[in-house]
Amino acid sequence: MLVLVAVQYTVSPGDTLQSIAEQYCQGDDPRQVAEFREGIRELNYDVIGESDVWAGLVLEINRWE
């Protein structure tokens, strides 16, 4: 049974939305990772909008486990 888990992730220097999505996405299909990346953006849109992330930013990430 899958459960939706909310995770807080503090962005490290050098991180990008893409690298974070690659770390947390459970598949490695590029389309799946791109969808996951945009899901992170949507969940945190009030903070990051269309820009990329910066060190020290705390992101909310939802994932199925």
Side-chain angles (χ1 to χ4, degrees):
M1 174 187 209
L2 290 175
V3 177
L4 185 62
V5 176
V7 176
Q8 287 192 328
Y9 177 79
T10 302
V11 178
S12 297
D15 280 348
T16 63
L17 269 181
Q18 181 68 26
S19 68
I20 296 166
E22 289 168 357
Q23 180 180 342
Y24 280 93
C25 184
Q26 300 192 346
D28 54 3
D29 180 318
R31 289 172 294 184
Q32 221 178 351
V33 174
E35 270 185 40
F36 196 83
R37 181 191 66 228
E38 292 311 309
I40 295 171
R41 178 183 306 284
E42 187 176 312
L43 192 58
N44 296 278
Y45 197 82
D46 57 327
V47 178
I48 63 174
E50 293 298 321
S51 65
D52 210 332
V53 295
W54 54 90
L57 175 66
V58 178
L59 295 173
E60 297 291 328
I61 299 174
N62 288 339
R63 61 183 280 179
W64 292 98
E65 292 184 359

